[in-house]
Amino acid sequence: FLNTFMRLNFNFKVLVFVTGTLDDCACDVETIDSFNNKEIFPKLQKLLSSDYFRFYKVNLNNPCPFWTDHSQCGLKYCAVKPCTEGEVPEGLKSSSYKYSEAASQDIEECEKAEKLGAVDGSLSDETRQALQEWKKHDDESDRFCMLDDEDSPKSQYVDLLLNPERFTGYKGPEAWRIWNSIYEENCFKPYSVKRPLNPLASNSGQGFYRWLEGLCVEKRAFFRLVSGLHASINTHLSARYLLDENWFEMKWGHNVSEFQQRFDEELTEGEGPKRLRNLYFLYLIELRALAKILPYFERPAFHLYTGQRTQDNENKKLLLELLHVAKSFPLHFDETALFAGNKKEAMKLKEDFKMTFKNISRIMDCVECFKCRLWGKLQTQGLGTALKILFSERQIEAMPNMSNTNPSFQLSRQEIVSLFNAFGRISTSVRELENFRSLLSNLKQ
């Protein structure tokens, strides 16, 4: 592999890594690298290996809502192995749980409230169904992404540790169709403006950044989040690449040439460093969400419940420790700069932002590779949950530490698992950049 790479004769004078201050932020790359690799990454990886976060319930059989395509990836590495019934902790499959006495009282109060607020039994089935649909609409109105129906018989638990994100061989027109739909139809971009290096368009890139810089900060941030997610995924695929396969083993590892093809400044005509800077921007957004959600998880009534009490208590301590570390970051992104100004215009812009990102989360059901679909759904749901947190500040601040009523802000387990695993992917990308930096440095010598 190394000989093949050297024969490509890449110019190592141009490094693919970025430094300095990020656009639209008061933060620099070096601070993020140090903070993530030393403070965040080790704690986060330990947390994500726990049962609560490794089992993710997902429906990989939703039909594509945008185009008719019944083809499926036939590559063996695209397959996802769902859990058997006995592999999933009983606590995750049960809704009846709580450990503390105070929490038990909360449940009793909630049950009383449900009875007092129950729909009159004399109402027709149609009316009762309508009320349920209204409640569902209220629950979804604050979300920035679509969530799978966990009660659907098509939804299955997947062990994320046994189905890692890595290069599957899924590429070419099918993969580009997904990203083209996202960039061309869901990034507030007119069709007359072409993206740089778009393989599906000729003469692309002229005037793109002039258009981008002319956007409002919210729409510019939206594009940078999508680009950062794309860059992060490409980093994972380059870091876990099938380097060799024989009868005895499969060797997965860092494919430096693949990484160069995606991010080298010369090979990408200057696009690679921009993509990496957007990856860091995405990191800041999700880190800020973790810092802001701390009060939600500090509530005594909240548990990372799997039915294993000692382990669950230890995991909550680890979770809170991680969130306190996230909160201590000195150069957080300032989300108050978004959706400011005229209240009516800001409200309309926020709704457009929300609906467009929901659309992107629906596109994930069009990905033909099931492994890619799994991680695509999880990471878009995680980013959508982070955005929900960032723009629900009043509801989060209104939550009392102890409450006998439903809190003003809620997260489902699916949202919690996707939030932390999505940030785990971004954190891993930042860590992998250091690994690639070291590999490139060694090859240069």
Side-chain angles (χ1 to χ4, degrees):
F1 165 73
L2 181 59
N3 290 335
T4 301
F5 176 76
M6 294 304 289
R7 284 199 300 270
L8 292 174
N9 194 28
F10 286 142
N11 181 0
F12 290 110
K13 292 180 181 178
V14 182
L15 294 179
V16 298
F17 302 101
V18 293
T19 59
T21 304
L22 298 171
D23 296 336
D24 297 326
C25 301
C27 188
D28 59 86
V29 168
E30 292 81 1
T31 299
I32 296 174
D33 281 337
S34 177
F35 184 77
N36 177 74
N37 298 343
K38 295 177 183 178
E39 305 293 336
I40 291 289
F41 181 78
K43 292 182 176 62
L44 183 55
Q45 291 304 304
K46 183 178 179 181
L47 183 69
L48 295 181
S49 67
S50 67
D51 285 352
Y52 187 90
F53 289 99
R54 68 185 289 182
F55 293 103
Y56 175 60
K57 197 168 189 183
V58 61
N59 184 354
L60 295 177
N61 297 300
N62 284 330
C64 173
F66 298 108
W67 55 79
T68 302
D69 192 346
H70 300 293
S71 61
Q72 295 182 355
C73 180
L75 298 169
K76 61 181 178 180
Y77 299 117
C78 287
V80 171
K81 182 183 178 183
C83 297
T84 63
E85 187 72 17
E87 291 174 329
V88 182
E90 285 299 321
L92 296 183
K93 297 181 287 185
S94 171
S95 61
S96 58
Y97 63 86
K98 293 294 176 181
Y99 284 129
S100 67
E101 181 179 349
S104 297
Q105 291 174 355
D106 276 356
I107 282 201
E108 291 177 7
E109 293 294 332
C110 286
E111 288 176 347
K112 290 178 182 177
E114 286 178 2
K115 290 177 181 177
L116 289 172
V119 177
D120 190 324
S122 63
L123 294 177
S124 68
D125 291 340
E126 291 80 5
T127 303
R128 197 175 294 119
Q129 178 66 27
L131 290 172
Q132 291 174 351
E133 290 297 323
W134 289 341
K135 183 181 185 304
K136 181 180 179 181
H137 174 75
D138 289 341
D139 291 340
E140 292 179 352
S141 62
D142 291 331
R143 292 183 181 140
F144 282 74
C145 63
M146 304 301 294
L147 297 181
D148 286 338
D149 179 4
E150 294 192 80
D151 294 327
S152 168
K154 293 183 179 180
S155 293
Q156 296 176 296
Y157 280 100
V158 173
D159 187 336
L160 298 174
L161 298 185
L162 298 182
N163 294 273
E165 183 181 27
R166 57 192 179 192
F167 186 77
T168 64
Y170 177 64
K171 58 183 179 180
E174 292 81 9
W176 267 106
R177 185 182 191 181
I178 300 297
W179 286 110
N180 205 59
S181 178
I182 291 172
Y183 283 117
E184 296 299 319
E185 301 169 14
N186 294 279
C187 280
F188 303 103
K189 187 181 72 61
Y191 286 106
S192 59
V193 176
K194 303 301 181 182
R195 287 182 294 121
L197 303 182
N198 181 358
L200 303 182
S202 59
N203 301 321
S204 60
Q206 296 181 358
F208 176 80
Y209 287 104
R210 185 168 60 252
W211 162 79
L212 185 64
E213 292 306 314
L215 290 177
C216 63
V217 65
E218 293 83 2
K219 292 182 179 179
R220 192 162 63 243
F222 190 98
F223 173 82
R224 295 179 67 193
L225 290 175
V226 171
S227 173
L229 179 60
H230 194 181
S232 180
I233 291 172
N234 282 336
T235 302
H236 306 153
L237 304 187
S238 301
R240 302 193 73 166
Y241 200 95
L242 184 58
L243 301 177
D244 189 29
E245 181 180 16
N246 55 48
W247 288 102
F248 306 103
E249 65 176 352
M250 293 175 292
K251 183 180 180 182
W252 301 86
H254 295 83
N255 187 329
V256 183
S257 62
E258 184 75 20
F259 183 79
Q260 287 278 94
Q261 291 280 9
R262 297 175 187 270
F263 297 111
D264 181 88
E265 185 170 2
E266 288 190 353
L267 294 173
T268 62
E269 301 177 18
E271 287 303 302
K274 293 185 178 73
R275 296 167 182 170
L276 292 178
R277 297 182 82 84
N278 291 337
L279 187 158
Y280 282 101
F281 179 76
L282 173 63
Y283 182 94
L284 285 178
I285 292 292
E286 296 200 6
L287 179 69
R288 179 59 173 158
L290 293 192
K292 292 193 70 171
I293 199 58
L294 176 60
Y296 181 86
F297 292 110
E298 282 184 319
R299 294 175 300 131
F302 179 84
H303 295 280
L304 297 174
Y305 186 81
T306 67
Q308 305 166 84
R309 183 166 186 164
T310 300
Q311 183 186 69
D312 292 347
N313 289 338
E314 290 176 356
N315 286 335
K316 183 174 181 179
K317 290 178 183 177
L318 179 60
L319 172 70
L320 294 180
E321 181 182 343
L322 173 69
L323 295 181
H324 278 287
V325 171
K327 189 176 181 179
S328 73
F329 184 69
L331 298 170
H332 271 296
F333 177 78
D334 181 13
E335 73 282 358
T336 61
L338 302 178
F339 306 112
N342 182 281
K343 185 174 273 189
K344 186 175 181 180
E345 291 179 1
M347 189 83 76
K348 172 67 166 58
L349 183 59
K350 183 177 179 181
E351 192 60 28
D352 289 345
F353 195 102
K354 185 184 299 182
M355 295 307 296
T356 305
F357 196 82
K358 278 186 177 181
N359 222 34
I360 291 177
S361 69
R362 295 175 70 207
I363 293 174
M364 293 301 108
D365 283 322
C366 301
V367 177
E368 296 169 15
C369 166
F370 283 113
K371 181 76 67 68
C372 307
R373 182 182 295 197
L374 166 67
W375 287 99
K377 287 169 76 79
L378 182 142
Q379 289 175 84
T380 52
Q381 287 176 4
L383 176 53
T385 303
L387 294 172
K388 171 183 173 179
I389 293 167
L390 284 184
F391 303 114
S392 300
E393 184 173 16
R394 290 182 180 177
Q395 295 95 311
I396 295 173
E397 289 180 347
M399 286 191 309
N401 289 330
M402 295 287 289
S403 173
N404 289 330
T405 60
N406 288 327
S408 54
F409 179 85
Q410 291 276 18
L411 289 177
S412 68
R413 180 179 175 275
Q414 188 178 162
E415 288 175 306
I416 294 170
V417 172
S418 64
L419 172 68
F420 283 91
N421 273 284
F423 185 63
R425 295 283 75 210
I426 307 301
S427 173
T428 298
S429 292
V430 172
R431 181 67 179 85
E432 289 293 359
L433 292 182
E434 183 175 296
N435 292 332
F436 278 113
R437 188 182 294 115
S438 176
L439 288 168
L440 283 166
S441 178
N442 291 337
L443 287 170
K444 187 179 179 181
Q445 295 172 5

